[in-house]
Amino acid sequence: MKKYLFLIIAGVIFSCKNNSVDNGKLNIVTTTTMITDLVENIGGDHINVQGLMGSGVDPHLYKASEGDVSKLANADIIFYNGLHLEGKLVEVFEKMGSQAKTPIALADELDKSTLIGSDYFASNYDPHVWFDINYFKQFATKVTLVLSQQDPKNAASYQTNKNIYITKLDKLQKDAVSVIETLPKEKRILVTAHDAFNYFGKAYGFEVVGLQGLSTATEAGVQDVQKLAAFIINRNIKAIFVESSVPRRTIEALQAAVKSKDHNVEIGGTLFSDALGNKGTNEGTYIGMFMYNVNTIINALK
Ligand SMILES: [Zn+2]
């Protein structure tokens, strides 16, 4: 009897380690928490999703661990942002490209002529595209297409999930606009630790200034801090913002520089930029994160 029990337990452990083989579900690996959330929404119960990056993780600096490499090698599909957001993973993905399962860079599918250019990235584009809800909807369409091609028997289910999710994103767009419209246009200046919010600014009429530039890979210098402090004083900006995936000291240095010139600027709160909040919380979803940011920004700048 004991021997049989052992065999059953061993079998369970073995099958857990080989999900893609044993339960017939697609094994998907994603990078950022935004993409993980999106893929979970479209795939529902039909897929296994493993997100490499957790909450508060900075994708610009993230390096693949040995465990990540084996997850990537065993994946049926890999979804990532692209446009060199995941700067240190590019090499790993390039190696994967020579294998049968090509990783899919969702942002690379967007119409490049509509993107914001940037000299900071090898892609020549600002990769923080998820802050325009319309681009995120296009991510959803691409994910649905790929899942349906790889797993045709569940295609109808993926399509239904996508339709439900798009309806929620449309509602998010309306909710965001109605809150943002309460802030006068001249007060729409967003100062944060790094330039993650350019697409947000373009969509909702904010002037966006980041202390660190587009990537967190280079630290802000003393001159950058002084220049931005002068800008904040000149434009009479009420609040600046910390980001969840960038060290707080960056923005605290800026606040100190403003104070040293006998002015005051509040820290308006922490925004989620390149990663969602903790899983299981409202901000742990793309939709919850987006509204949290909007409310935080508007409340502090009003
Ligand atoms: Zn970023």
Side-chain angles (χ1 to χ4, degrees):
M1 187 65 193
K2 265 188 180 169
K3 199 176 170 186
Y4 282 111
L5 195 62
F6 171 75
L7 284 175
I8 290 164
I9 292 168
V12 168
I13 292 168
F14 186 74
S15 66
C16 285
K17 279 188 171 173
N18 293 278
N19 273 335
S20 64
V21 181
D22 283 26
N23 64 11
K25 292 184 183 182
L26 284 175
N27 216 359
I28 319 270
V29 173
T30 53
T31 56
T32 67
T33 44
M34 289 71 75
I35 294 173
T36 306
D37 182 43
L38 171 67
V39 173
E40 283 174 348
N41 270 284
I42 308 288
D45 294 335
H46 298 301
I47 58 170
N48 298 311
V49 186
Q50 296 183 88
L52 298 184
M53 300 174 193
S55 164
V57 170
D58 181 345
H60 301 291
L61 305 178
Y62 187 84
K63 285 183 186 150
S65 67
E66 260 179 57
D68 291 344
V69 174
S70 80
K71 278 179 198 163
L72 290 164
N74 289 318
D76 296 312
I77 308 168
I78 300 159
F79 289 114
Y80 70 111
N81 188 83
L83 298 179
H84 280 247
L85 176 79
E86 302 96 335
K88 314 240 180 229
L89 290 183
V90 171
E91 217 175 283
V92 181
F93 289 138
E94 276 168 2
K95 278 179 196 154
M96 296 268 143
S98 58
Q99 297 175 13
K101 18 184 181 186
T102 308
I104 292 158
L106 292 168
D108 283 357
E109 304 283 326
L110 303 172
D111 176 359
K112 295 272 187 354
S113 71
T114 68
L115 298 180
I116 298 171
S118 162
D119 296 334
Y120 284 91
F121 290 88
S123 65
N124 292 322
Y125 296 102
D126 180 340
H128 304 87
V129 291
W130 60 92
F131 279 119
D132 184 324
I133 296 171
N134 287 319
Y135 288 141
F136 205 64
K137 281 164 72 175
Q138 291 180 52
F139 278 21
T141 302
K142 178 66 182 180
V143 167
T144 307
L145 184 73
V146 173
L147 292 182
S148 303
Q149 282 168 345
Q150 298 281 322
D151 182 21
K153 69 180 187 302
N154 289 314
S157 176
Y158 298 137
Q159 189 59 45
T160 305
N161 291 347
K162 181 203 142 189
N163 293 344
I164 294 168
Y165 196 57
I166 295 283
T167 305
K168 289 181 184 172
L169 292 176
D170 286 338
K171 183 180 180 295
L172 171 66
Q173 182 74 284
K174 276 192 193 139
D175 291 348
V177 167
S178 74
V179 173
I180 289 163
E181 277 177 350
T182 65
L183 184 71
K185 287 213 163 69
E186 67 275 12
K187 287 191 173 181
R188 293 186 197 173
I189 308 171
L190 184 57
V191 179
T192 59
H194 90 298
D195 266 350
F197 293 93
N198 290 319
Y199 291 98
F200 180 88
K202 195 178 168 195
Y204 304 110
F206 278 79
E207 190 176 336
V208 178
V209 189
L211 182 56
Q212 259 179 302
L214 281 170
S215 171
T216 53
T218 45
E219 287 237 6
V222 178
Q223 257 195 324
D224 300 322
V225 173
Q226 290 305 326
K227 242 169 85 179
L228 195 46
F231 175 82
I232 288 165
I233 293 163
N234 282 338
R235 302 290 294 272
N236 201 19
I237 296 168
K238 221 177 126 188
I240 54 179
F241 299 90
V242 178
E243 288 174 39
S244 61
S245 53
V246 183
R248 196 182 171 87
R249 61 181 150 76
T250 329
I251 218 73
E252 281 174 346
L254 180 59
Q255 187 186 35
V258 173
K259 282 188 170 166
S260 75
K261 294 191 167 99
D262 286 334
H263 285 265
N264 193 34
V265 68
E266 303 287 335
I267 292 185
T270 302
L271 303 179
F272 295 99
S273 53
D274 293 4
L276 301 178
N278 290 324
K279 210 167 165 76
T281 66
N282 195 34
E283 295 77 40
T285 68
Y286 172 81
I287 290 173
M289 171 282 289
F290 204 97
M291 269 327 280
Y292 177 89
N293 278 354
V294 167
N295 287 322
T296 303
I297 292 165
I298 303 308
N299 288 338
L301 294 181
K302 251 185 183 174

